[in-house]
Amino acid sequence: MARMKIATFNVNGITARLPRLLEWLAESAPDVACLQELKTSDETFPVQALADAGYGAIWHGQKGFNGVAVLARGTQPLERRRGLPGDPDDSHSRYLEAQVGDVIVGALYLPNGNPQPGPKFDYKLKWMERLYEHATTLVDLDAPVVLAGDYNVVPTDALRDIYSTKGWQNDALLQPESREAFARLLGLGFTDALAALHGDAAIYTYWDYFRQRWERNAGLRIDHLLLNAPAAARLKAAEVDRFIRGREKPSDHAPVWVELG
């Protein structure tokens, strides 16, 4: 089986970050890239710029916020699902599933949930329950499955997941209910790729724009790639492309990727 590099990147506005995105695609050359927080409509998605960079794309846009996409280098991703089942009235563009080669990828942008408690946190937990139910249909497939995206969950209080919990205690990303829902996904049989290969090392994926958090490496690990057993059996590497976060006008997230052998 051919090696495949699969990445996730919350671009925090694809129009504003297009130069950084194109730089990263050229330098890191992922075979598959799952993007979140496009903040653009379907009509204004930069499909031609991505095609010029060598990537086929499918996308699920939403003007001003949310939005997910799957890019594939040198080929066209085959769409499997648009949106999670379980709530036909949910208008948020947060989930897009595709097949690229023999691998199934789910690009997801999980709700932030703040402020909590309240309706936004309730929506987050309901969305996570819908994700869990859908994941039960994917975890036992013979094909490799990668659920990649911004989960908006800090899995633990450990240094590997957060620089410090001071000031974050009431944030939806750290609440016991959020963490329990994330742990339930892992309990189905998914592997957290970064944690599996980096152990207790601090390997953050998000640094807020404020209070010099990038300069101080005051980060959080909230972007995750979860692998079912066939994908985990092929896991060779998992890294964060930190260099993109340090460039001019960056996203507050860095791309995260795995390599399957």
Side-chain angles (χ1 to χ4, degrees), residues 125-194:
L125 297 181
K126 289 176 182 177
W127 201 94
M128 294 186 81
E129 179 62 29
R130 289 164 57 206
L131 177 62
Y132 176 87
E133 292 298 329
H134 182 55
T136 64
T137 71
L138 299 173
V139 67
D140 292 327
L141 294 179
D142 292 334
V145 176
V146 180
L147 296 178
D150 177 358
Y151 282 73
N152 270 316
V153 176
V154 176
T156 72
D157 286 346
L159 187 60
R160 79 176 187 189
D161 293 331
I162 186 169
Y163 70 100
S164 169
T165 59
K166 185 178 180 180
W168 291 93
Q169 292 90 338
N170 293 323
D171 197 282
L173 280 61
L174 276 70
Q175 295 311 299
E177 298 92 338
S178 305
R179 289 173 164 176
E180 181 182 357
F182 184 78
R184 286 184 72 212
L185 277 174
L186 298 180
L188 283 174
F190 285 96
T191 295
D192 178 346
L194 276 180

Side-chain angles (χ1 to χ4, degrees), residues 4 7 55 76 85 100 105-106 159 167 175-176 178 195 207 219 246 260-261:
M4 183 177 285
Y55 283 83
Q76 180 65 26
V100 182
V105 294
L159 187 60
Q175 295 311 299
S178 305
W207 299 260
L260 307 184

Side-chain angles (χ1 to χ4, degrees), residues 10-19 21 36-40 64 66 209 251-252:
N10 180 321
V11 294
N12 191 19
I14 196 167
T15 301
R17 316 295 175 200
L18 189 58
L21 174 60
Q36 305 89 41
E37 212 169 351
L38 304 178
K39 297 182 179 178
T40 194
N66 299 331
Y209 291 124
S251 170
D252 41 9

Side-chain angles (χ1 to χ4, degrees), residues 6 13 27-28 31 33 35 41 65 110 127 137 142 146 149 185 198 205 238-239 245 250:
I6 301 170
E27 294 175 35
S28 195
D31 297 293
L35 308 181
S41 67
F65 50 99
L110 208 145
W127 201 94
T137 71
D142 292 334
V146 180
L185 277 174
H198 291 273
T205 68
E239 298 291 345
R245 178 61 179 84

Side-chain angles (χ1 to χ4, degrees), residues 52-123:
D52 292 344
Y55 283 83
I58 58 173
W59 61 95
H60 186 20
Q62 187 170 346
K63 185 178 180 180
F65 50 99
N66 299 331
V68 286
V70 178
L71 314 182
R73 186 160 60 98
T75 190
Q76 180 65 26
L78 302 176
E79 185 172 322
R80 287 173 47 95
R81 167 169 285 279
R82 180 171 293 242
L84 284 176
D87 184 358
D89 297 325
D90 187 0
S91 61
H92 288 200
S93 300
R94 293 186 177 275
Y95 186 82
L96 188 61
E97 189 175 291
Q99 180 139 1
V100 182
D102 67 337
V103 177
I104 295 168
V105 294
L108 64 97
Y109 178 44
L110 208 145
N112 177 282
N114 284 306
Q116 72 81 34
K120 291 186 176 181
F121 190 60
D122 294 342
Y123 172 65

Side-chain angles (χ1 to χ4, degrees), residues 6-8 146-148 151 191-193 223-227 256-258:
I6 301 170
T8 181
V146 180
L147 296 178
Y151 282 73
T191 295
D192 178 346
D223 302 270
H224 309 294
L225 294 103
L226 303 190
L227 283 55
V256 188
W257 55 265
V258 297

